[in-house]
């Protein structure tokens, strides 16, 4: 199980190289207020002075510290016996085969891999302790004061020299035979008041930075609080509870026990009676500023710490101090890794699949540009046609599109619009009578002129042109939308923004070219119907039948005169027929000519007696005024109703013709034409040797994304390999 912490360290190294924050690796996060003793606690764990010191906020960037245990050397050989007087005595390190495996992994980090499993770091120099920074991979630090200076300079490089902070971490590895395997993150201390160049919201920034690390459910929170302050006011405990309300991953550390007021002690605090913490509360005694100034060694400080606990807390001495804290952290981290490892392994496998698919979508760099552009054009044209036909593979289920949308336009929009059109819409009785009078010229009409019917019905047929042209426009818009839908299906074209734009331009221009011929054809369909009014159409209502029906419906109401006497010469209809007209022989309906329909109808209706004088007052009035002052005469009613029925009958015939022929014209002149020629148009416009280089140039964004996805995929594959090296037996 000792082997798991080095594995996590390796995973951390792998993901640090690609800057990924998506992997939540187990680690120990140290939080506390400014000057609470966090840095001293870390130095006691490491056993070296290596962290910057000073007044105010010193830790201004996260420090990810990996402690890696290496065997002690004697004359170039590994020393496997432990000296109780050495600093390595304050942890229970085992020197079994796990250490040999860890040493081999360390040699891999140094780029000096040893093929013999379990071999020692024979290529390293005699120095037992050294450090390496991630940003200075080739440099080895054996002087820990240089490590301190490098931390300071790297911090000031990003944050300046006047107390600014940054969320970009510094990564440091320390190799030593006197440490246990641990991964710790030292964060800036929480503060209230900004100083120097710090922004006014420095408190919020630091809290957000801390939250970024401790919200990781795989992290252990090491909450550091000084004993000379009230524990119930501890900011570290408070922020830990905000993100770990159950306290399952929080360990509290109480520092400065030697600075408590005389007559007080920390027994209740250390027993957890003040604030209970599930993982426990451990007290430590750090070096004072005077000890640091006097260069008191950490070895001496640890001995004094042990003596302090024996003197003041003899019962709790074995469960407190830096030695116990180090062992506890090592144990907690190993058990936490064991708990998180199965989920971590599953997460890595899922991300490998995701980034593999992402990398596939970006494609490989293009070598044969001609073949590539033909492949893309063919795939796009095929997808465009399949979208219209409804056979595209990735058909959408969220909305009607493509050919289904065109069908919807033909039948649900265009057909419904024509079906709702009133045959007499916009046509009043006055318009009908005016047309009849205008068609008669200067003489009074004995018959209803046929030209009036033609003029009125043409006016109604003309109304069909506007919805027909609107149908063409809707189909054209849908054909434009299909371009974008098809581009989404062709993943390869996303890599080439210029080719994408040119494809849109070419197809849009093709559609635009077909719009005028299609509109012209639809207009011609209406013009054809207007050019000849076929009253002999087999579906057109026979004029005689209309008159017969009208006369029959009015027969009963006109059989008696107002004085109650029966008519002497009754004839079905609304008018009295003059004797001269009545004496004329009746023509059978079967022998009626198809032409001169209106003449025959008027003759059957009869009219006002020409010998009857016209009232003098009406001679001085216009037709419009006369219509306002009197009701329609029986003949005018008959003429109006007859024309209305005939217009309705003929309009319905033409409406059916237009409803059937307009979709056919659109399919022929627009949809099918584009389907048949889209690929040839694209090839003729785009497959040119002088354009290939420009059209297939990838955007910088795609190149960057491909590189990122490739690096991340390699890191994940390496991580999966590292995790796979741990057998279940080693975990449990």
């Amino acid at each position: 199980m000792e082997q798991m912490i080095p594995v996590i360290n390796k995973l951390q190294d792998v993901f640090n190289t690609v800057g990924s924050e998506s992997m939540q690796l187990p680690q120990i996060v140290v939080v506390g207020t400014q000057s609470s003793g966090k840095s001293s606690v870390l130095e006691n764990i490491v056993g070296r002075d290596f962290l910057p010191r000073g007044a105010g906020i010193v830790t201004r960037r996260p420090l990810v510290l990996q402690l890696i245990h290496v065997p002690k050397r004697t004359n170039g050989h590994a020393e496997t016996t432990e000296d109780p007087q050495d600093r390595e005595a304050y942890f229970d390190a085992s020197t079994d085969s796990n250490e040999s495996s860890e040493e081999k992994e360390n040699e891999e980090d140094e780029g000096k891999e040893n093929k013999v499993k379990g071999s020692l770091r024979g290529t390293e120099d005699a120095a037992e302790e050294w450090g390496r920074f991630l940003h200075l991979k080739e440099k080895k630090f054996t002087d820990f004061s240089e490590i301190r200076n490098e931390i300071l300079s790297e911090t000031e490089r990003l944050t300046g020299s006047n107390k600014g902070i940054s969320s970009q971490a510094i990564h440091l590895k320390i190799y030593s035979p006197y440490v246990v395997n641990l991964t710790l993150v030292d964060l800036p201390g929480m503060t209230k008041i900004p100083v120097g160049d710090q922004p006014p919201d420095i408190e919020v920034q630091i809290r957000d930075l801390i939250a970024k690390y401790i919200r990781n459910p795989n992290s252990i929170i090491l909450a550091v609080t000084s004993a000379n302050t009230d524990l119930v006011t501890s900011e570290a405990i408070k922020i830990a509870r905000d993100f770990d309300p159950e306290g399952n991953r929080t360990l509290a550390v109480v520092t400065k026990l030697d600075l408590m007021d005389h007559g007080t002690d920390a027994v209740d605090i250390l027993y957890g009676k003040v604030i209970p913490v599930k993982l426990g509360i451990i007290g430590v005694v750090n070096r004072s500023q005077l000890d640091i100034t006097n260069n008191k060694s950490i070895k001496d400080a640890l001995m004094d710490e042990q003596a302090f606990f024996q003197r003041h807390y003899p019962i709790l001495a074995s469960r407190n101090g830096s030695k116990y804290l180090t062992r506890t952290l090592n144990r907690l981290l190993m058990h936490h890794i064991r708990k998180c490892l199965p989920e971590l392994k599953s997460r890595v496998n899922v991300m490998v699949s995701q980034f593999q698919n992402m990398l596939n979508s970006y494609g490989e760099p293009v070598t044969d540009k001609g073949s590539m552009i033909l492949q893309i054009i063919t795939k796009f044209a095929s997808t465009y046609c399949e979208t219209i036909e409804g056979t595209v593979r990735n058909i959408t289920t969220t909305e009607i599109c493509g050919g289904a949308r065109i069908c919807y336009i033909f039948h649900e929009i265009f057909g419904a619009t024509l079906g709702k059109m009133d045959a007499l819409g916009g046509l009043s009785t006055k318009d009908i009578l005016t047309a009849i009078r205008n068609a008669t010229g200067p003489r009074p009409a004995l018959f209803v002129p046929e030209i009036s019917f033609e003029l009125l019905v043409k006016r109604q047929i003309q109304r069909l042109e506007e919805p027909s042209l609107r149908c063409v426009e809707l189909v054209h818009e849908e054909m434009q939308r299909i371009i974008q839908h098809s581009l989404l299906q062709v993943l390869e074209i996303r890599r080439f923004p210029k080719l994408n734009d040119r494809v849109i331009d070419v197809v849009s221009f093709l559609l635009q070219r077909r719009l005028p011929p299609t509109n012209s054809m639809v207009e011609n369909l209406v013009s054809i119907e207007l050019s000849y009014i076929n009253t002999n159409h087999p579906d057109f209502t026979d004029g005689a039948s209309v008159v017969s029906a009208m006369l029959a419906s009015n027969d009963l109401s006109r059989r008696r005169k107002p004085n109650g006497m029966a008519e002497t010469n009754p004839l079905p209809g609304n008018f009295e027929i003059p004797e001269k007209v009545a004496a004329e022989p009746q023509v059978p309906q079967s022998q009626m000519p198809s032409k001169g329909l209106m003449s025959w109808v008027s003759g059957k209706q009869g009219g006002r007696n020409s010998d009857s004088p016209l009232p003098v007052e009406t001679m001085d009035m216009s037709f419009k005024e006369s219509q306002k002052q009197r009701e329609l005469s029986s003949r005018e009613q008959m003429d109006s109703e007859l024309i209305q029925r005939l217009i309705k009958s003929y309009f319905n015939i033409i409406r059916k013709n237009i409803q059937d022929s307009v979709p056919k014209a659109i399919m022929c002149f627009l949809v099918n034409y584009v389907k048949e020629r889209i690929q040839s148009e694209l090839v003729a416009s785009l497959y040119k040797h002088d354009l290939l280089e420009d059209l297939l140039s990838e955007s910088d964004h795609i190149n960057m994304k491909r590189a990122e996805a490739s690096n991340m995929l390699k890191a994940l594959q390496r991580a999966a390999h590292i995790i796979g090296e741990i057998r279940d037996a080693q975990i449990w």
Side-chain angles (χ1 to χ4, degrees), residues 411-465:
H411 303 290
E412 302 296 331
I413 298 179
F414 177 63
T417 301
L418 294 189
K420 293 178 181 178
M421 291 184 68
D422 184 6
L424 301 174
L427 191 63
S428 65
T429 303
K430 185 187 76 171
D431 296 333
I432 296 174
L433 296 176
T434 301
I436 294 174
R437 287 189 176 239
N438 287 338
T440 60
R443 293 174 298 279
L446 294 176
F447 313 106
V448 177
E450 222 172 298
I451 190 64
S452 62
F453 167 73
E454 289 193 11
L455 290 174
L456 292 171
V457 80
K458 284 181 179 180
R459 171 179 167 179
Q460 299 308 102
I461 293 173
Q462 187 67 42
R463 295 168 54 224
L464 297 173
E465 182 176 330

Side-chain angles (χ1 to χ4, degrees), residues 226-462:
S226 58
N228 55 359
T229 61
D230 195 342
L231 195 64
V232 296
T233 64
S234 171
E235 290 290 334
I237 298 293
K238 181 179 182 301
I239 196 171
R241 283 195 171 182
D242 290 343
F243 293 91
D244 179 31
E246 300 296 328
N248 295 324
R249 53 190 182 91
T250 300
L251 174 67
V253 175
V254 180
T255 62
K256 303 182 180 181
L257 293 175
D258 55 332
L259 300 181
M260 296 183 67
D261 292 339
H262 294 290
T264 62
D265 59 39
V267 173
D268 290 342
I269 294 175
L270 298 177
Y271 271 116
K273 295 181 179 180
V274 178
I275 295 180
V277 180
K278 285 189 178 181
L279 296 185
I281 301 176
I282 299 175
V284 297
V285 177
N286 298 326
R287 292 180 299 167
S288 65
Q289 186 60 45
L290 179 61
D291 294 335
I292 297 173
T293 304
N294 294 333
N295 294 323
K296 183 177 182 179
S297 67
I298 292 182
K299 180 178 180 180
D300 294 337
L302 293 175
M303 294 176 62
D304 291 344
E305 178 190 45
Q306 187 176 6
F308 173 85
F309 279 108
Q310 289 291 346
R311 184 167 58 254
H312 295 279
Y313 304 95
I315 299 178
L316 300 174
S318 61
R319 296 168 50 191
N320 289 276
S322 299
K323 172 184 175 180
Y324 181 77
L325 174 63
T326 304
R327 291 200 306 265
T328 301
L329 290 176
N330 179 262
R331 175 177 52 83
L332 288 175
L333 186 58
M334 284 192 298
H335 284 280
H336 201 64
I337 292 171
R338 183 181 66 180
K339 178 181 177 182
C340 301
L341 201 58
E343 181 183 352
L344 187 63
K345 184 184 299 185
S346 175
R347 174 68 174 162
V348 168
N349 292 334
V350 170
M351 291 186 68
V352 166
S353 177
Q354 291 176 347
F355 277 89
Q356 183 65 63
N357 293 335
M358 186 184 301
L359 188 60
N360 292 339
S361 68
Y362 296 137
E364 297 293 333
V366 181
T367 54
D368 188 351
K369 298 186 182 297
S371 175
M372 172 61 74
I373 199 168
L374 284 177
Q375 178 184 351
I376 292 175
I377 288 174
T378 302
K379 190 171 183 180
F380 170 80
S382 175
T383 303
Y384 190 91
C385 296
E386 289 173 355
T387 303
I388 295 176
E389 295 295 332
T391 58
V392 66
R393 178 178 300 178
N394 298 323
I395 191 168
T396 180
T397 58
T398 58
E399 63 176 354
I400 298 176
C401 67
R405 177 69 181 175
I406 294 174
C407 179
Y408 180 84
I409 293 170
F410 286 158
H411 303 290
E412 302 296 331
I413 298 179
F414 177 63
T417 301
L418 294 189
K420 293 178 181 178
M421 291 184 68
D422 184 6
L424 301 174
L427 191 63
S428 65
T429 303
K430 185 187 76 171
D431 296 333
I432 296 174
L433 296 176
T434 301
I436 294 174
R437 287 189 176 239
N438 287 338
T440 60
R443 293 174 298 279
L446 294 176
F447 313 106
V448 177
E450 222 172 298
I451 190 64
S452 62
F453 167 73
E454 289 193 11
L455 290 174
L456 292 171
V457 80
K458 284 181 179 180
R459 171 179 167 179
Q460 299 308 102
I461 293 173
Q462 187 67 42

Side-chain angles (χ1 to χ4, degrees), residues 77-260:
H77 299 282
E79 179 66 53
T80 57
T81 58
E82 296 184 3
D83 185 354
Q85 300 301 321
D86 289 336
R87 281 179 287 159
E88 64 181 327
Y90 53 82
F91 66 89
D92 297 329
S94 63
T95 56
D96 55 7
S97 60
N98 289 336
E99 291 181 349
S100 298
S101 177
E102 170 58 17
E103 182 62 18
K104 178 183 176 182
E105 299 294 347
N106 291 333
E107 291 177 350
E108 290 178 357
D109 291 340
E110 301 302 322
K112 300 175 181 179
E113 187 172 317
N114 196 324
K115 295 183 180 180
V116 182
K117 185 176 180 180
S119 64
L120 301 176
R121 300 180 57 86
T123 59
E124 297 290 345
D125 56 22
E128 293 182 327
E129 298 176 272
W130 67 95
R132 289 185 184 275
F133 288 94
L134 180 64
H135 61 279
L136 296 174
K137 296 181 179 180
E138 302 302 324
K139 188 171 182 179
K140 179 177 181 180
F141 293 83
T142 56
D143 187 348
F144 279 76
S145 63
E146 293 182 4
I147 293 179
R148 181 189 304 111
N149 294 334
E150 181 60 30
I151 294 174
L152 281 172
S153 62
E154 182 65 13
T155 299
E156 293 180 356
R157 184 178 65 83
L158 288 184
T159 63
S161 58
N162 205 8
K163 309 303 181 184
I165 68 168
S166 172
S167 61
Q168 186 172 342
I170 300 174
H171 295 266
L172 171 64
K173 289 183 181 181
I174 293 181
Y175 300 84
S176 173
Y178 309 117
V179 299
V180 294
N181 293 317
L182 283 177
T183 301
L184 304 127
V185 182
D186 186 22
L187 297 175
M190 290 176 283
T191 185
K192 297 287 186 181
I193 301 175
V195 296
D197 292 336
Q198 293 176 351
D201 61 340
I202 184 66
E203 179 183 2
V204 177
Q205 288 191 20
I206 293 178
R207 181 179 177 86
D208 292 343
L209 178 58
I210 293 173
K212 174 183 175 182
Y213 284 89
I214 66 175
R215 69 162 50 96
N216 174 9
N218 295 335
S219 65
I220 296 174
I221 305 173
L222 188 64
V224 180
T225 304
S226 58
N228 55 359
T229 61
D230 195 342
L231 195 64
V232 296
T233 64
S234 171
E235 290 290 334
I237 298 293
K238 181 179 182 301
I239 196 171
R241 283 195 171 182
D242 290 343
F243 293 91
D244 179 31
E246 300 296 328
N248 295 324
R249 53 190 182 91
T250 300
L251 174 67
V253 175
V254 180
T255 62
K256 303 182 180 181
L257 293 175
D258 55 332
L259 300 181
M260 296 183 67

